[in-house]
Amino acid sequence: MARKTGSHADITGPRVRAAALQLFARHGYAAVSMRQIAAEVGVQAGALYLYTPDKQALLFDLMRAHMREVLDRWRDEPKGLSPGERLDAFTRYHIRFSLDRPEAVFVSNMELRNLTPEHFAQIEAMRRSYEDELEAILVAGRADGTFRLEDSKLAALAIIAMLTGVTGWFRSGGRLSRDRVEQVYRGMVRGAAGSA
Amino acid sequence: MARKTGSHADITGPRVRAAALQLFARHGYAAVSMRQIAAEVGVQAGALYLYTPDKQALLFDLMRAHMREVLDRWRDEPKGLSPGERLDAFTRYHIRFSLDRPEAVFVSNMELRNLTPEHFAQIEAMRRSYEDELEAILVAGRADGTFRLEDSKLAALAIIAMLTGVTGWFRSGGRLSRDRVEQVYRGMVRGAAGSA
DNA sequence: CTTCAAACTGAACGACTGTGCAGTTACACT
DNA sequence: AGTGTAACTGCACAGTCGTTCAGTTTGAAG
């Protein structure tokens, strides 16, 4: 049961990553066995090692891919010119991105402690550089008087924590639409930044 | 090696809970074995079962005790009369409480998915009642014009997420003192609530 | 000194863990 | 039809898991 049409389309590799992501998100990295992942893909456990050197690499690849996408897509985002507009764009971007990939966000936030020290350092660096993106907006806005805040590093961390929390309770089809959630958070983030 | 002075002071039970809390916080519930906990206490694995029926109950007891303390101590807290003062009190309380018990906060936030459905429902109910405490403040403040916010339920969740994030980065002896952190967050929380 | 129960050990249980590997299957290409 | 090779199975290994329990140690009470 190998090889699909058109040369050798790698279809199982992505399926392994998708299954691992879903299971890690639902039960946690440590609580998921390679055999469970394999069963989800419809394959025996040994076959997973054609696509990953080990379980740890599976987690790391998932998290690295997610963080890369977070950073890359933010760079591609059209940005407003004023700090206020840029903050709004950040809010909207973070919420949309998080709601589009709830499992990846969840895993990336929860499984940091299950990375080896080397892997942790790499993910942590990407995470920090994302925080720096927001902090730069806050610093610019404080400089030109748009924001009134006491500590821009703290504010960046607080705002990201607030935004990431959305994935914890949002249910599509629930009381609030995505647009409404974005709108409400835009107001709260502006408020937290001391924007007029 | 049993029995200390003064009748039969139960000293090992608390030590088991303390060790479990620390290890669960550091490595995660699923990644910690009963043998590791036992080693930390200085006892063989089997002896743990004198103090807990099983591993799951150990986690649940830890989380229930934490949530009970969160709720009880908040009820004992002297509260201001105005919604603004009450919001400030909540901010200060949540940060102080979290920084005093970082491991318990961490475990209570991270290990929800490792609870059995019955245990999860109980913890979730306590968590919701804590959120309701904050929401009541926000509703009152919106009614009397102190706060300007679009959705008080969302605001409660957002503010709690923001405050709980503190435990993720705060290091005592770091750049900021506790008092300073409380002060900065007071301003951001007020801002997020749309307070003048 | 004897009695008794609580505290604890040490070994065992069946099940499960991540990982390796010899052998099998199935398809693309000649 | 034959060949090569990527994909995959099925079993094995050496550990570890949570949990149980018969037996030992302990220290206080009588």
Side-chain angles (χ1 to χ4, degrees):
Chain A
M1 204 165 299
R3 288 297 166 79
K4 304 293 171 181
T5 64
S7 72
H8 60 89
D10 250 37
I11 200 68
T12 308
R15 293 226 301 151
V16 169
R17 263 171 271 137
L21 181 61
Q22 292 224 1
L23 288 169
F24 289 168
R26 178 140 45 235
H27 307 291
Y29 171 79
V32 172
S33 72
M34 294 301 270
R35 273 168 253 259
Q36 284 176 60
I37 298 169
E40 188 74 18
V41 177
V43 111
Q44 293 297 317
L48 298 182
Y49 291 84
L50 294 167
Y51 306 100
T52 184
D54 52 31
K55 192 186 176 191
Q56 166 72 206
L58 206 45
L59 176 62
F60 176 61
D61 286 347
L62 253 26
M63 293 180 65
R64 186 181 47 185
H66 174 71
M67 290 309 299
R68 276 188 181 153
E69 210 186 351
V70 171
L71 289 168
D72 289 352
R73 297 250 202 168
W74 170 245
R75 264 180 219 112
D76 296 345
E77 193 83 354
K79 295 179 193 67
L81 297 175
S82 75
E85 289 168 343
R86 289 205 281 155
L87 182 59
D88 291 346
F90 187 90
T91 299
R92 207 191 45 168
Y93 171 78
H94 190 95
I95 290 179
R96 287 196 182 175
F97 195 92
S98 298
L99 293 184
D100 281 340
R101 297 159 190 78
E103 302 95 348
V105 171
F106 203 67
V107 169
S108 292
N109 285 323
M110 303 276 285
E111 304 294 355
L112 282 163
R113 61 180 166 193
N114 286 311
L115 293 170
T116 62
E118 300 78 27
H119 289 162
F120 175 79
Q122 290 186 54
I123 301 296
E124 185 66 5
M126 294 194 228
R127 173 179 280 269
R128 194 131 42 198
S129 111
Y130 186 62
E131 292 163 6
D132 289 345
E133 292 285 326
L134 174 55
E135 197 189 344
I137 296 171
L138 297 175
V139 166
R142 182 156 68 163
D144 80 352
T146 307
F147 306 143
R148 212 172 332 104
L149 39 82
E150 304 196 56
D151 189 298
S152 42
K153 183 65 187 163
L154 232 78
L157 295 171
I159 288 170
I160 288 177
M162 184 168 136
L163 292 175
T164 302
V166 175
T167 55
W169 52 261
F170 184 85
R171 300 286 171 269
S172 82
R175 181 169 65 91
L176 298 162
S177 71
R178 284 171 179 242
D179 286 351
R180 178 74 181 134
V181 171
E182 284 171 28
Q183 182 187 346
V184 171
Y185 269 83
R186 193 179 67 91
M188 291 193 293
V189 168
R190 281 274 197 159
S195 176
Chain B
M1 206 167 298
R3 291 294 167 77
K4 303 294 172 181
T5 64
S7 70
H8 61 88
D10 249 37
I11 202 68
T12 307
R15 294 225 302 153
V16 169
R17 265 172 269 137
L21 181 61
Q22 292 225 358
L23 288 169
F24 289 168
R26 179 140 45 235
H27 306 292
Y29 172 78
V32 171
S33 71
M34 294 299 271
R35 274 168 253 258
Q36 285 176 60
I37 298 169
E40 189 73 19
V41 177
V43 112
Q44 292 298 316
L48 298 182
Y49 291 84
L50 295 168
Y51 306 100
T52 183
D54 51 33
K55 192 187 175 189
Q56 165 73 206
L58 206 44
L59 176 62
F60 176 61
D61 286 347
L62 252 26
M63 293 180 67
R64 185 180 49 185
H66 175 70
M67 289 310 299
R68 276 188 181 153
E69 210 187 349
V70 170
L71 289 168
D72 289 352
R73 296 250 203 168
W74 169 246
R75 263 180 220 112
D76 296 345
E77 193 83 351
K79 297 179 191 67
L81 297 176
S82 75
E85 288 168 345
R86 288 205 282 156
L87 183 58
D88 292 346
F90 187 90
T91 300
R92 206 191 46 169
Y93 171 77
H94 191 95
I95 291 180
R96 285 196 184 175
F97 195 91
S98 298
L99 293 184
D100 280 341
R101 296 159 190 78
E103 303 95 350
V105 171
F106 203 68
V107 168
S108 293
N109 285 323
M110 304 276 285
E111 304 294 354
L112 281 164
R113 62 181 166 191
N114 286 311
L115 292 170
T116 62
E118 300 77 27
H119 288 162
F120 175 80
Q122 290 185 54
I123 300 296
E124 185 66 4
M126 294 193 229
R127 173 181 280 270
R128 194 132 42 200
S129 110
Y130 186 62
E131 292 163 5
D132 289 346
E133 293 285 326
L134 174 56
E135 196 188 346
I137 296 171
L138 297 175
V139 167
R142 182 155 68 163
D144 80 352
T146 308
F147 306 142
R148 212 173 331 105
L149 39 83
E150 306 197 53
D151 190 296
S152 42
K153 182 66 186 160
L154 233 78
L157 295 171
I159 287 170
I160 288 177
M162 185 169 133
L163 292 175
T164 302
V166 175
T167 54
W169 52 261
F170 184 84
R171 299 288 172 268
S172 83
R175 181 169 65 90
L176 299 162
S177 71
R178 284 172 178 238
D179 285 350
R180 178 77 182 135
V181 171
E182 284 172 28
Q183 182 188 346
V184 172
Y185 269 83
R186 194 179 66 91
M188 292 193 293
V189 168
R190 281 272 197 161
S195 175

